[in-house]
Amino acid sequence: MDHNKLWKIYKETGIPEYLICLWGNLYAGQEETVRTRHGTKDWFQSGKGVRQGYLLPPCLLNLSAEYIM
């Protein structure tokens, strides 16, 4: 999901602006790469998706899905 859409949804669901700003800063300039058995590909910027391995982002994604439904 596009990050800008996520921030809009969070704002509409009543999440405080300072938290949305905090999460926006966490995702600003996010870069990703793809690792295969042949090596690592070039890094690229991403404006979609949520970080894995943290408790909070999956909960936020669930909140977004609930809002859409």
Side-chain angles (χ1 to χ4, degrees), residues 36-60:
T36 69
R37 65 176 179 231
H38 303 291
T40 303
K41 302 295 181 184
D42 292 335
W43 287 84
F44 59 94
Q45 288 209 338
S46 174
K48 298 181 181 194
V50 293
R51 294 175 182 257
Q52 301 300 306
Y54 301 97
L55 175 63
L56 188 58
C59 295
L60 294 175

Side-chain angles (χ1 to χ4, degrees), residues 1-8 27 30 46-50:
M1 179 172 272
D2 183 85
H3 293 157
N4 292 323
K5 290 180 183 176
L6 284 175
W7 312 150
K8 182 180 176 187
Y27 283 89
Q30 178 174 312
S46 174
K48 298 181 181 194
V50 293

